[in-house]
Amino acid sequence: MTGIETKEKNERIDLNELRLILAQQKEFKVIEIFDTINKTSGEKDVSLCENKNGKKLILRIGEMRPLNFFPNGFKGQHFIIPKIYERQEDKIPYEIEEYLQGKLVSDLDKQQSVTGKIDSQIIKKLLAAFWEFQRVARNINLEQKFEKEKILKHFDKAKSLLDNPQIIQKLIEQYGNFWNASYPSKWKFATDNLIIIPDGRIGFIDNVGAGLRYFGYDLGWLLWPRWVEMETKRFDDVKDHLQYLEQFMKQIRNTAPSQMEFKNFDNKKFWLVIFERLIGNIYDVACNTRHLNDWGMGKDGENKRKEKHLAF
């Protein structure tokens, strides 16, 4: 059975069944069931539904975004956040969310996926959304979701695969204030969790993990997922990818708003973002994280690909 265990009675609830029950109660027609339920081992479920008036909605079960994270939605110049129509915090929480029509950035940028990069025109849209989000979400009282201890936890698992763990730990400790900073972050600000709506703006979907993290955290989510997607031979061309990262850094700085705190996002801070994502990526390798299976690098993946990925 695909289900979730509740805290109260350790009872197992089948989310497929719960989806049907909620759909009947709300008079919804389930149009599409996304792969969330499989990717989370039955702990969460997301589906596209249609109400009795023909309006499309998103039904999310087993998770909900922070209550104060734009519950009425947001429509900015460069990005949109869907509104929440209904939410219930029960033993199995759920929320009914506005449906944003559009296409996943990852689907619109499949060719660049094999190179480990993002199309330059799409990057412009994503950075514009990132900077606007930093401005409008700056005063929301979100939960702190990242601090130095988290990167140390990842490092502890990853260090057996690292050549110079002592140097890396020293760097983590040295920049403790950077990791402990509190800036709004979407999580996950990645090409498979962002859409481009018909008018060209970026749509924020899956906002459950929104919180406060170090500055630039979301930018790392644009970069590191593509490292596992790229074709194997691309892992050998580190120089080419470093040039891509340099160009990406320049775009970030060139598009930053004029406020001094944003202009202070210098080269060192950009490479600290890369540094943290690299540790996270090696942590995934050390733990055989589930998503690596999708890219031929899990337990049953190709050894050559896994070795080249780790070397990269």
Side-chain angles (χ1 to χ4, degrees), residues 182-208:
S182 301
Y183 289 87
S185 60
K186 176 193 178 298
W187 190 97
K188 50 183 195 152
F189 194 79
T191 58
D192 62 345
N193 272 65
L194 297 166
I195 65 172
I196 298 182
I197 64 174
D199 67 11
R201 285 180 290 182
I202 299 294
F204 282 23
I205 58 174
D206 189 4
N207 299 300
V208 174

Side-chain angles (χ1 to χ4, degrees), residues 146 150-151 154 172 178-179 214 216-217 220-221 224 227 270-282:
F146 196 102
K150 184 164 186 177
I151 189 173
H154 286 173
I172 295 171
F178 180 77
W179 312 123
Y214 67 82
Y217 177 85
W221 272 89
W224 81 264
W227 299 339
F270 172 79
W271 290 111
L272 284 174
V273 172
I274 302 299
F275 175 75
E276 188 274 320
R277 287 291 77 203
L278 286 169
I279 292 174
N281 202 18
I282 297 169

Side-chain angles (χ1 to χ4, degrees), residues 115-165:
T115 70
K117 303 174 183 178
I118 301 175
D119 176 81
S120 60
Q121 294 304 309
I122 291 179
I123 285 179
K124 289 181 181 179
K125 291 181 178 291
L126 295 173
L127 290 181
F130 169 79
W131 288 119
E132 185 177 23
F133 174 63
Q134 288 301 309
R135 179 175 59 80
V136 301
R138 191 69 183 94
N139 295 319
I140 298 179
N141 186 27
L142 296 169
E143 180 183 350
Q144 185 73 32
K145 296 278 192 173
F146 196 102
E147 53 191 13
K148 184 182 71 176
E149 282 65 31
K150 184 164 186 177
I151 189 173
L152 283 170
K153 179 181 176 182
H154 286 173
F155 164 74
D156 188 59
K157 288 283 188 180
K159 64 184 178 183
S160 63
L161 299 175
L162 298 169
D163 291 336
N164 298 293

Side-chain angles (χ1 to χ4, degrees), residues 12-125:
R12 197 77 176 162
I13 295 181
D14 186 345
L15 292 196
N16 287 306
E17 183 178 340
L18 183 55
R19 184 196 318 112
L20 290 174
I21 291 171
L22 285 172
Q24 289 175 352
Q25 289 177 350
K26 309 295 181 183
E27 298 184 78
F28 289 170
K29 176 183 177 182
V30 178
I31 299 174
E32 182 179 358
I33 300 167
F34 299 111
D35 60 0
T36 311
I37 194 166
N38 295 323
K39 286 189 173 182
T40 61
S41 300
E43 295 179 357
K44 301 170 185 177
D45 179 64
V46 182
S47 57
L48 174 62
C49 301
E50 191 176 89
N51 68 12
K52 60 183 179 181
N53 298 319
K55 183 177 183 177
K56 291 182 178 179
L57 306 160
I58 294 293
L59 173 61
R60 189 181 301 276
I61 306 174
E63 61 179 12
M64 57 176 55
R65 77 195 198 207
L67 180 62
N68 61 343
F69 188 75
F70 300 99
N72 297 316
F74 176 82
K75 294 184 178 181
Q77 182 180 356
H78 301 291
F79 78 97
I80 287 182
I81 294 177
K83 66 177 66 175
I84 298 295
Y85 294 121
E86 181 182 338
R87 55 186 282 139
Q88 179 173 302
E89 295 187 51
D90 203 343
K91 56 184 178 181
I92 302 294
Y94 72 85
E95 61 185 17
I96 299 170
E97 182 181 72
E98 178 185 8
Y99 168 67
L100 297 183
Q101 183 181 1
K103 292 186 177 182
L104 286 172
V105 174
S106 56
D107 288 342
L108 293 170
D109 198 25
K110 283 185 175 179
Q111 182 58 39
Q112 285 291 83
S113 174
V114 301
T115 70
K117 303 174 183 178
I118 301 175
D119 176 81
S120 60
Q121 294 304 309
I122 291 179
I123 285 179
K124 289 181 181 179
K125 291 181 178 291

